[in-house]
Amino acid sequence: MSNLLSLSSVAKKIWMSLMGLFLFTFLLVHLSLNLTMITSPDSGLFNEAAHFMGTNPFIQVFQWVLFAGFIVHIILGLILQVQNWMARPNAYKKKASSEQSFFSKYMIHTAVVIFVFLIIHFLNFFLVAKGLIGEIGEVTIDGVTMEDMAGLVFDLFANPAYVVFYIIALLFLGFHLDHGIQSAFQSLGLNHPKYTPCIKNAGRLLAIVITLGYVLIPLVIYFTK
Amino acid sequence: MTKIDSKIPEGPLAEKWTNYKNHQNLVNPANKIKIDIIVVGTGLAGGAAAASLGEMGFNVKVFCIQDSPRRAHSIAAQGGINAAKNYPNDGDSVYRLFYDTVKGGDYRAREANVYRLAEVSNNIIDQCVAQGVPFAREYGGTLDNRSFGGALVSRTFYARGQTGQQLLLGAYSALSKEINKGSVELFTRREMLDLVKIDGKARGIIVRNLVTGKLERHSAHAVLVASGGYGNVFFLSTNAMTSNGGAAWRSYKRGAFFGNPSFVQIHPTCIPVHGDFQSKLTLMSESLRNDGRIWVPKKKEDAGKIQKGELRPTEIAEDDRDYYLERRYPAFGNLVPRDVASRAAKERCDAGFGVGTTGLAVYLDFKHAIGRLGKNVIEARYGNLFQMYEKIVDENPYETPMMIYPAIHYAMGGIWVDYELQTTVPGLFFGGEANFSDHGANRLGASALMQGLSDGYFVLPYTMQNYLADQITVPRYDINSKEFEQTEKDVQERIDKLISVKGDETVDSFHKRLGLIMWDNVGMARTKEGLEKAIKEISALRKEFYQRVKVPGDKSGMNVELEKALRVADFLELGELMARDALNRSESCGGHFREESKTPEGEALRDDENFTYVSAWEFKGNDVEPELHKEPLTYENIEVKQRNYKTA
Amino acid sequence: MDLKLKIWRQSGPDAKGEFKEYPIQDISKDSSFLEMMDVLNEQLVSKGEEPVAFDHDCREGICGMCSLFINGRPHGPDDAITTCQLHMRKFHDGETVTIEPWRAKPFPIIKDLMVDRSAFDEIIQAGGFVSVSTGGVPDANAIPIKKVNADLAMDAAACIGCGACVAACKNASAMLFVSAKVSQFALLPQGRVEAKERVEKMVAKMDDIGFGNCTNTYACEAECPKEISVANIARMNREFFAAKVS
């Protein structure tokens, strides 16, 4: 923590963006796994994948790296935000109206929503899958008995309130990514007159695609299962 | 007869400066730290000198009126800086730059100084490039040059339309480096209000802290003032709002002679005045004249219709346009020196051919250039200037010709200095625009930056050292001495006097009235009657000022009105001296045009027999006529001729 | 045109400030914003009231002295200009114009609309220079510089140090200002010699003074009167990264 505090502003931003991009790759992997729930009809593939992720020793180690990534991104984000508030103790009385990257204004707000979602998500799935809280059914695929993660998901997505909450949270993730992806490139110094417009567009497109992908799953499950 | 000695070194012209440097006195490195130097002003001359003196090891205190040294008005110079590098291989040389500058100044500048200026011009470019000044470059990576008014070669280095800014930021970075090192101490938002003399030598200054309102005393072994020009005496000028003649005027009243006060430059390409509330005039770079053609309607009735808004300039046929500069000066055309271009514009407008709602404007037209080179090229060359014009005037100069009119821009006159840039007060040096400088009666474009940096980087650090060599045994001065006490008291009295008037007219109102007297009588065309009238009117206005000026607030704390009142009080005296000098010089030369002295074609006519001298005025007391000293000018290396821009 | 001005008045750095309203009449559309302020101050002085303190000097958009946060934007409702170049035709008759000082911890208010921007000077003093002394430098053409790099350096060097970037940034970050100077020197061979030390020292000083962190909102670029690009911030990030890993 004190190490993070003593980093210069630019170093903090570089770490922030590296962690952000790292978490973004995790989102891609996670999404590709989730999509198997609606692509393979009996959702066995999803359970198998979840089982692989839950038992593979490399993944088991790597999940701590991922966890650390989250922690660094969150703590740095908080430090940055608090310092930024401190840099202007007396706010403007008239609302500032300069043109700027729209969601950049709300990164801390979208982050808080995502953080709350993350905790609930953790309680709903990760800790349950680990057998630490709640109960989870079992299935046997090709002679291997494993947790019925798909069943857990289907149960939760049967609840319309949960679906709505999930979709809203994921929209906020989309907002966060819309600014976050291109911003990470800028913080890493990757700005070029030719490529930056592409990066900005690709970042926005990815944010939309990822959000749509995640949002599609509960909708399909809710309306078809 | 004379009390003045210009101290020009012996020897042939080209060797004078080298000889000087070879024989000057030096201060050994260990002793430099014991010597304090005050520098007033952080423009090109002040900033460069302070940085260089700091690098040498002197203990420097530098003062600026703005909140940062980077804001000095040198920053506003647009066009470029001259140097005799001859990179374009068009036949330039140190001699040619020297010759053009003396000729441009209408043979009223000191030969030795101008030669030195031309000589060090090349070092300036080297120095600035080494500092990281981003001059314009060719595709091959070498420096680009362009041509400028009054010259037949391309010797002007430039950084877009922001050359002054970039050179100043170069000097500012050097200064910042020294501040960081501790050799220079910076005082911002301070205004010099008086000079402190001890035993006849300059030993300190009194400044007012513009934030707290407190008077501060600062002592030193030598004082360098580089506070810029006094163009704001005209109220409307291209100078910045805080540019003032106070430091120079106070030095004059403490014994420094004032050189050629009537020599001010009127720049031909400014945006015309648009209303009574106007606070300043905006300059459009002279470089516009490279591609723009200046004209007014040939027929008076067309001009009348344009003034009434019944006719647009684009509706005037080519044959009905009078490209008067090309007509009168075929060899130089639109690129004649500034004084010539300004006067020609005034002549046309006075004759009733002016345009704009006031009739006090001429057109600067890019139609032909756009047709010949394409809009893209013009945009690349002048895009930012066109944009600026459109923001101010709300007209698109790509479609409608620009309107321009001359405006006060630069003071060639200033405190008289010798070859060492030392004034008649020992230990008091003047640099940059603040001294009477090397430009004679008219300054060529892109020469002000050259002179400021030449003084600051390459002249003053040597000559001040020469003066300081025998000062190493002089201990630091106590700011509680009776001289400091008395000078501060004098300043305090001036302040109290202004505040106690409690009249009914604002400072700006007086300033505008002074400006009007100056512009009408001591402006572009001067007559004996006008100047005599101006002297009377200014004197009367000064009396009225001390009876009716309204300065609200008190002397403690920030008081912008008080600041302005102190400056206008000085202008009210300086303006009179300018008129006096203009009256004395009954010839026309450069920017100084006396209606009584002109050729049959209306060109300026010098009187070399009677006026080949610098006028140096000595203060003799309030309400006492100042004494005129004459520094004769001798030209050994140049044949003095009537300036001719009609044929090359 | 007639306007209602809502101006922030504050007698000193620690005093409590407040808005005061001043109606003003018959302002010409062709006058500049600061000329309008001059008219107001003339009227205040005539009435014996204290004029509004605000910074200004060259009045041609180059010295960087003028500031003012006008209707929610630094330098007011026009792009790529300073307040002194803003003209009243950008406002409409009867409009209420709110004028505040620039607000940031490193820019304390001196009085009314005047702020202290010496923090910028301190950052330059920390490393915004090439360490060459007067004299003893090579011929100007001895180092050829690619035109494209010279042009990019000039783009960055155009900064006037007005502080609009800090004023506009929701984080009061000075990254655009600092990166402009770092970029100018990073792009030129003269500046490369000290590139590593320069970026480290200038960033450290910027942080030390208490400017906020950059979150790439790009409000700075949108408000910069000289249109300095955020590409300079990216370049500084690269320079910083290179300095730290080398």
mmCIF file with all atom_site columns, all heavy atoms in Angstrom, chain C residues 115-134:
data_model
loop_
_atom_site.group_PDB
_atom_site.id
_atom_site.type_symbol
_atom_site.label_atom_id
_atom_site.label_alt_id
_atom_site.label_comp_id
_atom_site.label_asym_id
_atom_site.label_entity_id
_atom_site.label_seq_id
_atom_site.pdbx_PDB_ins_code
_atom_site.Cartn_x
_atom_site.Cartn_y
_atom_site.Cartn_z
_atom_site.occupancy
_atom_site.B_iso_or_equiv
_atom_site.pdbx_formal_charge
_atom_site.auth_seq_id
_atom_site.auth_comp_id
_atom_site.auth_asym_id
_atom_site.auth_atom_id
_atom_site.pdbx_PDB_model_num
ATOM 1   N N   . VAL C 1 115 ? -5.155 34.508 -9.815  1.00 0.00 ? 115 VAL C N   1
ATOM 2   C CA  . VAL C 1 115 ? -4.586 33.367 -9.110  1.00 0.00 ? 115 VAL C CA  1
ATOM 3   C C   . VAL C 1 115 ? -3.062 33.342 -9.262  1.00 0.00 ? 115 VAL C C   1
ATOM 4   O O   . VAL C 1 115 ? -2.510 33.963 -10.158 1.00 0.00 ? 115 VAL C O   1
ATOM 5   C CB  . VAL C 1 115 ? -5.165 32.019 -9.605  1.00 0.00 ? 115 VAL C CB  1
ATOM 6   C CG1 . VAL C 1 115 ? -6.656 31.943 -9.364  1.00 0.00 ? 115 VAL C CG1 1
ATOM 7   C CG2 . VAL C 1 115 ? -4.837 31.779 -11.070 1.00 0.00 ? 115 VAL C CG2 1
ATOM 8   N N   . ASP C 1 116 ? -2.418 32.615 -8.360  1.00 0.00 ? 116 ASP C N   1
ATOM 9   C CA  . ASP C 1 116 ? -0.961 32.508 -8.363  1.00 0.00 ? 116 ASP C CA  1
ATOM 10  C C   . ASP C 1 116 ? -0.560 31.240 -9.115  1.00 0.00 ? 116 ASP C C   1
ATOM 11  O O   . ASP C 1 116 ? -0.828 30.138 -8.665  1.00 0.00 ? 116 ASP C O   1
ATOM 12  C CB  . ASP C 1 116 ? -0.471 32.455 -6.912  1.00 0.00 ? 116 ASP C CB  1
ATOM 13  C CG  . ASP C 1 116 ? 1.036  32.299 -6.826  1.00 0.00 ? 116 ASP C CG  1
ATOM 14  O OD1 . ASP C 1 116 ? 1.692  32.253 -7.891  1.00 0.00 ? 116 ASP C OD1 1
ATOM 15  O OD2 . ASP C 1 116 ? 1.553  32.210 -5.697  1.00 0.00 ? 116 ASP C OD2 1
ATOM 16  N N   . ARG C 1 117 ? 0.078  31.430 -10.267 1.00 0.00 ? 117 ARG C N   1
ATOM 17  C CA  . ARG C 1 117 ? 0.464  30.268 -11.076 1.00 0.00 ? 117 ARG C CA  1
ATOM 18  C C   . ARG C 1 117 ? 1.959  29.995 -11.022 1.00 0.00 ? 117 ARG C C   1
ATOM 19  O O   . ARG C 1 117 ? 2.524  29.400 -11.931 1.00 0.00 ? 117 ARG C O   1
ATOM 20  C CB  . ARG C 1 117 ? 0.035  30.507 -12.529 1.00 0.00 ? 117 ARG C CB  1
ATOM 21  C CG  . ARG C 1 117 ? -1.450 30.322 -12.750 1.00 0.00 ? 117 ARG C CG  1
ATOM 22  C CD  . ARG C 1 117 ? -1.877 30.866 -14.102 1.00 0.00 ? 117 ARG C CD  1
ATOM 23  N NE  . ARG C 1 117 ? -1.847 32.324 -14.096 1.00 0.00 ? 117 ARG C NE  1
ATOM 24  C CZ  . ARG C 1 117 ? -2.310 33.081 -15.094 1.00 0.00 ? 117 ARG C CZ  1
ATOM 25  N NH1 . ARG C 1 117 ? -2.797 32.521 -16.162 1.00 0.00 ? 117 ARG C NH1 1
ATOM 26  N NH2 . ARG C 1 117 ? -2.253 34.388 -15.008 1.00 0.00 ? 117 ARG C NH2 1
ATOM 27  N N   . SER C 1 118 ? 2.613  30.447 -9.939  1.00 0.00 ? 118 SER C N   1
ATOM 28  C CA  . SER C 1 118 ? 4.067  30.251 -9.887  1.00 0.00 ? 118 SER C CA  1
ATOM 29  C C   . SER C 1 118 ? 4.432  28.767 -9.826  1.00 0.00 ? 118 SER C C   1
ATOM 30  O O   . SER C 1 118 ? 5.587  28.401 -10.057 1.00 0.00 ? 118 SER C O   1
ATOM 31  C CB  . SER C 1 118 ? 4.685  31.021 -8.718  1.00 0.00 ? 118 SER C CB  1
ATOM 32  O OG  . SER C 1 118 ? 3.985  30.742 -7.541  1.00 0.00 ? 118 SER C OG  1
ATOM 33  N N   . ALA C 1 119 ? 3.432  27.903 -9.532  1.00 0.00 ? 119 ALA C N   1
ATOM 34  C CA  . ALA C 1 119 ? 3.695  26.464 -9.550  1.00 0.00 ? 119 ALA C CA  1
ATOM 35  C C   . ALA C 1 119 ? 4.255  26.035 -10.912 1.00 0.00 ? 119 ALA C C   1
ATOM 36  O O   . ALA C 1 119 ? 5.122  25.156 -10.987 1.00 0.00 ? 119 ALA C O   1
ATOM 37  C CB  . ALA C 1 119 ? 2.409  25.700 -9.251  1.00 0.00 ? 119 ALA C CB  1
ATOM 38  N N   . PHE C 1 120 ? 3.780  26.671 -11.975 1.00 0.00 ? 120 PHE C N   1
ATOM 39  C CA  . PHE C 1 120 ? 4.274  26.333 -13.315 1.00 0.00 ? 120 PHE C CA  1
ATOM 40  C C   . PHE C 1 120 ? 5.760  26.689 -13.461 1.00 0.00 ? 120 PHE C C   1
ATOM 41  O O   . PHE C 1 120 ? 6.535  25.957 -14.065 1.00 0.00 ? 120 PHE C O   1
ATOM 42  C CB  . PHE C 1 120 ? 3.459  27.079 -14.388 1.00 0.00 ? 120 PHE C CB  1
ATOM 43  C CG  . PHE C 1 120 ? 2.218  26.347 -14.828 1.00 0.00 ? 120 PHE C CG  1
ATOM 44  C CD1 . PHE C 1 120 ? 1.792  25.192 -14.178 1.00 0.00 ? 120 PHE C CD1 1
ATOM 45  C CD2 . PHE C 1 120 ? 1.485  26.797 -15.911 1.00 0.00 ? 120 PHE C CD2 1
ATOM 46  C CE1 . PHE C 1 120 ? 0.652  24.511 -14.598 1.00 0.00 ? 120 PHE C CE1 1
ATOM 47  C CE2 . PHE C 1 120 ? 0.347  26.119 -16.350 1.00 0.00 ? 120 PHE C CE2 1
ATOM 48  C CZ  . PHE C 1 120 ? -0.073 24.980 -15.686 1.00 0.00 ? 120 PHE C CZ  1
ATOM 49  N N   . ASP C 1 121 ? 6.123  27.853 -12.903 1.00 0.00 ? 121 ASP C N   1
ATOM 50  C CA  . ASP C 1 121 ? 7.538  28.244 -12.965 1.00 0.00 ? 121 ASP C CA  1
ATOM 51  C C   . ASP C 1 121 ? 8.399  27.228 -12.217 1.00 0.00 ? 121 ASP C C   1
ATOM 52  O O   . ASP C 1 121 ? 9.487  26.878 -12.665 1.00 0.00 ? 121 ASP C O   1
ATOM 53  C CB  . ASP C 1 121 ? 7.737  29.630 -12.340 1.00 0.00 ? 121 ASP C CB  1
ATOM 54  C CG  . ASP C 1 121 ? 7.159  30.739 -13.211 1.00 0.00 ? 121 ASP C CG  1
ATOM 55  O OD1 . ASP C 1 121 ? 7.222  30.603 -14.444 1.00 0.00 ? 121 ASP C OD1 1
ATOM 56  O OD2 . ASP C 1 121 ? 6.637  31.720 -12.662 1.00 0.00 ? 121 ASP C OD2 1
ATOM 57  N N   . GLU C 1 122 ? 7.882  26.772 -11.079 1.00 0.00 ? 122 GLU C N   1
ATOM 58  C CA  . GLU C 1 122 ? 8.661  25.810 -10.290 1.00 0.00 ? 122 GLU C CA  1
ATOM 59  C C   . GLU C 1 122 ? 8.895  24.525 -11.070 1.00 0.00 ? 122 GLU C C   1
ATOM 60  O O   . GLU C 1 122 ? 9.963  23.916 -10.987 1.00 0.00 ? 122 GLU C O   1
ATOM 61  C CB  . GLU C 1 122 ? 7.932  25.484 -8.979  1.00 0.00 ? 122 GLU C CB  1
ATOM 62  C CG  . GLU C 1 122 ? 7.963  26.608 -7.968  1.00 0.00 ? 122 GLU C CG  1
ATOM 63  C CD  . GLU C 1 122 ? 7.152  26.261 -6.719  1.00 0.00 ? 122 GLU C CD  1
ATOM 64  O OE1 . GLU C 1 122 ? 7.268  25.108 -6.245  1.00 0.00 ? 122 GLU C OE1 1
ATOM 65  O OE2 . GLU C 1 122 ? 6.381  27.115 -6.267  1.00 0.00 ? 122 GLU C OE2 1
ATOM 66  N N   . ILE C 1 123 ? 7.878  24.112 -11.822 1.00 0.00 ? 123 ILE C N   1
ATOM 67  C CA  . ILE C 1 123 ? 8.032  22.881 -12.608 1.00 0.00 ? 123 ILE C CA  1
ATOM 68  C C   . ILE C 1 123 ? 9.098  23.071 -13.692 1.00 0.00 ? 123 ILE C C   1
ATOM 69  O O   . ILE C 1 123 ? 9.943  22.206 -13.921 1.00 0.00 ? 123 ILE C O   1
ATOM 70  C CB  . ILE C 1 123 ? 6.685  22.461 -13.233 1.00 0.00 ? 123 ILE C CB  1
ATOM 71  C CG1 . ILE C 1 123 ? 5.711  22.054 -12.128 1.00 0.00 ? 123 ILE C CG1 1
ATOM 72  C CG2 . ILE C 1 123 ? 6.887  21.305 -14.207 1.00 0.00 ? 123 ILE C CG2 1
ATOM 73  C CD1 . ILE C 1 123 ? 4.291  21.770 -12.617 1.00 0.00 ? 123 ILE C CD1 1
ATOM 74  N N   . ILE C 1 124 ? 9.077  24.233 -14.341 1.00 0.00 ? 124 ILE C N   1
ATOM 75  C CA  . ILE C 1 124 ? 10.102 24.503 -15.366 1.00 0.00 ? 124 ILE C CA  1
ATOM 76  C C   . ILE C 1 124 ? 11.486 24.556 -14.720 1.00 0.00 ? 124 ILE C C   1
ATOM 77  O O   . ILE C 1 124 ? 12.458 24.008 -15.244 1.00 0.00 ? 124 ILE C O   1
ATOM 78  C CB  . ILE C 1 124 ? 9.803  25.825 -16.113 1.00 0.00 ? 124 ILE C CB  1
ATOM 79  C CG1 . ILE C 1 124 ? 8.459  25.745 -16.851 1.00 0.00 ? 124 ILE C CG1 1
ATOM 80  C CG2 . ILE C 1 124 ? 10.928 26.159 -17.090 1.00 0.00 ? 124 ILE C CG2 1
ATOM 81  C CD1 . ILE C 1 124 ? 8.384  24.750 -17.986 1.00 0.00 ? 124 ILE C CD1 1
ATOM 82  N N   . GLN C 1 125 ? 11.546 25.202 -13.554 1.00 0.00 ? 125 GLN C N   1
ATOM 83  C CA  . GLN C 1 125 ? 12.843 25.292 -12.874 1.00 0.00 ? 125 GLN C CA  1
ATOM 84  C C   . GLN C 1 125 ? 13.388 23.916 -12.499 1.00 0.00 ? 125 GLN C C   1
ATOM 85  O O   . GLN C 1 125 ? 14.591 23.723 -12.382 1.00 0.00 ? 125 GLN C O   1
ATOM 86  C CB  . GLN C 1 125 ? 12.714 26.165 -11.608 1.00 0.00 ? 125 GLN C CB  1
ATOM 87  C CG  . GLN C 1 125 ? 12.618 27.641 -11.921 1.00 0.00 ? 125 GLN C CG  1
ATOM 88  C CD  . GLN C 1 125 ? 11.944 28.438 -10.812 1.00 0.00 ? 125 GLN C CD  1
ATOM 89  O OE1 . GLN C 1 125 ? 11.874 28.003 -9.669  1.00 0.00 ? 125 GLN C OE1 1
ATOM 90  N NE2 . GLN C 1 125 ? 11.435 29.610 -11.146 1.00 0.00 ? 125 GLN C NE2 1
ATOM 91  N N   . ALA C 1 126 ? 12.479 22.956 -12.317 1.00 0.00 ? 126 ALA C N   1
ATOM 92  C CA  . ALA C 1 126 ? 12.925 21.615 -11.938 1.00 0.00 ? 126 ALA C CA  1
ATOM 93  C C   . ALA C 1 126 ? 13.634 20.897 -13.087 1.00 0.00 ? 126 ALA C C   1
ATOM 94  O O   . ALA C 1 126 ? 14.400 19.963 -12.851 1.00 0.00 ? 126 ALA C O   1
ATOM 95  C CB  . ALA C 1 126 ? 11.732 20.790 -11.458 1.00 0.00 ? 126 ALA C CB  1
ATOM 96  N N   . GLY C 1 127 ? 13.376 21.320 -14.310 1.00 0.00 ? 127 GLY C N   1
ATOM 97  C CA  . GLY C 1 127 ? 14.057 20.605 -15.405 1.00 0.00 ? 127 GLY C CA  1
ATOM 98  C C   . GLY C 1 127 ? 13.639 21.020 -16.805 1.00 0.00 ? 127 GLY C C   1
ATOM 99  O O   . GLY C 1 127 ? 14.087 20.403 -17.772 1.00 0.00 ? 127 GLY C O   1
ATOM 100 N N   . GLY C 1 128 ? 12.832 22.050 -16.922 1.00 0.00 ? 128 GLY C N   1
ATOM 101 C CA  . GLY C 1 128 ? 12.336 22.442 -18.247 1.00 0.00 ? 128 GLY C CA  1
ATOM 102 C C   . GLY C 1 128 ? 13.320 23.275 -19.029 1.00 0.00 ? 128 GLY C C   1
ATOM 103 O O   . GLY C 1 128 ? 12.995 24.385 -19.455 1.00 0.00 ? 128 GLY C O   1
ATOM 104 N N   . PHE C 1 129 ? 14.534 22.777 -19.197 1.00 0.00 ? 129 PHE C N   1
ATOM 105 C CA  . PHE C 1 129 ? 15.563 23.531 -19.916 1.00 0.00 ? 129 PHE C CA  1
ATOM 106 C C   . PHE C 1 129 ? 16.605 22.567 -20.458 1.00 0.00 ? 129 PHE C C   1
ATOM 107 O O   . PHE C 1 129 ? 16.647 21.406 -20.091 1.00 0.00 ? 129 PHE C O   1
ATOM 108 C CB  . PHE C 1 129 ? 16.240 24.541 -18.976 1.00 0.00 ? 129 PHE C CB  1
ATOM 109 C CG  . PHE C 1 129 ? 16.624 23.961 -17.641 1.00 0.00 ? 129 PHE C CG  1
ATOM 110 C CD1 . PHE C 1 129 ? 17.754 23.171 -17.518 1.00 0.00 ? 129 PHE C CD1 1
ATOM 111 C CD2 . PHE C 1 129 ? 15.842 24.179 -16.513 1.00 0.00 ? 129 PHE C CD2 1
ATOM 112 C CE1 . PHE C 1 129 ? 18.099 22.615 -16.285 1.00 0.00 ? 129 PHE C CE1 1
ATOM 113 C CE2 . PHE C 1 129 ? 16.178 23.624 -15.280 1.00 0.00 ? 129 PHE C CE2 1
ATOM 114 C CZ  . PHE C 1 129 ? 17.315 22.843 -15.171 1.00 0.00 ? 129 PHE C CZ  1
ATOM 115 N N   . VAL C 1 130 ? 17.423 23.083 -21.388 1.00 0.00 ? 130 VAL C N   1
ATOM 116 C CA  . VAL C 1 130 ? 18.607 22.352 -21.835 1.00 0.00 ? 130 VAL C CA  1
ATOM 117 C C   . VAL C 1 130 ? 19.784 23.011 -21.127 1.00 0.00 ? 130 VAL C C   1
ATOM 118 O O   . VAL C 1 130 ? 19.925 24.229 -21.170 1.00 0.00 ? 130 VAL C O   1
ATOM 119 C CB  . VAL C 1 130 ? 18.766 22.455 -23.364 1.00 0.00 ? 130 VAL C CB  1
ATOM 120 C CG1 . VAL C 1 130 ? 20.052 21.794 -23.820 1.00 0.00 ? 130 VAL C CG1 1
ATOM 121 C CG2 . VAL C 1 130 ? 17.567 21.822 -24.061 1.00 0.00 ? 130 VAL C CG2 1
ATOM 122 N N   . SER C 1 131 ? 20.590 22.225 -20.453 1.00 0.00 ? 131 SER C N   1
ATOM 123 C CA  . SER C 1 131 ? 21.666 22.813 -19.652 1.00 0.00 ? 131 SER C CA  1
ATOM 124 C C   . SER C 1 131 ? 22.844 23.266 -20.509 1.00 0.00 ? 131 SER C C   1
ATOM 125 O O   . SER C 1 131 ? 23.907 22.658 -20.466 1.00 0.00 ? 131 SER C O   1
ATOM 126 C CB  . SER C 1 131 ? 22.145 21.814 -18.607 1.00 0.00 ? 131 SER C CB  1
ATOM 127 O OG  . SER C 1 131 ? 21.122 21.501 -17.723 1.00 0.00 ? 131 SER C OG  1
ATOM 128 N N   . VAL C 1 132 ? 22.623 24.323 -21.294 1.00 0.00 ? 132 VAL C N   1
ATOM 129 C CA  . VAL C 1 132 ? 23.768 24.913 -21.996 1.00 0.00 ? 132 VAL C CA  1
ATOM 130 C C   . VAL C 1 132 ? 23.949 26.326 -21.482 1.00 0.00 ? 132 VAL C C   1
ATOM 131 O O   . VAL C 1 132 ? 22.983 27.013 -21.180 1.00 0.00 ? 132 VAL C O   1
ATOM 132 C CB  . VAL C 1 132 ? 23.564 24.971 -23.529 1.00 0.00 ? 132 VAL C CB  1
ATOM 133 C CG1 . VAL C 1 132 ? 23.609 23.601 -24.133 1.00 0.00 ? 132 VAL C CG1 1
ATOM 134 C CG2 . VAL C 1 132 ? 22.289 25.701 -23.892 1.00 0.00 ? 132 VAL C CG2 1
ATOM 135 N N   . SER C 1 133 ? 25.191 26.735 -21.340 1.00 0.00 ? 133 SER C N   1
ATOM 136 C CA  . SER C 1 133 ? 25.464 28.103 -20.940 1.00 0.00 ? 133 SER C CA  1
ATOM 137 C C   . SER C 1 133 ? 25.687 28.949 -22.178 1.00 0.00 ? 133 SER C C   1
ATOM 138 O O   . SER C 1 133 ? 25.920 28.425 -23.262 1.00 0.00 ? 133 SER C O   1
ATOM 139 C CB  . SER C 1 133 ? 26.692 28.144 -20.040 1.00 0.00 ? 133 SER C CB  1
ATOM 140 O OG  . SER C 1 133 ? 26.385 27.511 -18.818 1.00 0.00 ? 133 SER C OG  1
ATOM 141 N N   . THR C 1 134 ? 25.640 30.267 -21.968 1.00 0.00 ? 134 THR C N   1
ATOM 142 C CA  . THR C 1 134 ? 25.831 31.179 -23.091 1.00 0.00 ? 134 THR C CA  1
ATOM 143 C C   . THR C 1 134 ? 27.233 31.018 -23.674 1.00 0.00 ? 134 THR C C   1
ATOM 144 O O   . THR C 1 134 ? 28.210 30.957 -22.935 1.00 0.00 ? 134 THR C O   1
ATOM 145 C CB  . THR C 1 134 ? 25.621 32.625 -22.611 1.00 0.00 ? 134 THR C CB  1
ATOM 146 O OG1 . THR C 1 134 ? 24.338 32.716 -22.023 1.00 0.00 ? 134 THR C OG1 1
ATOM 147 C CG2 . THR C 1 134 ? 25.748 33.598 -23.764 1.00 0.00 ? 134 THR C CG2 1
#
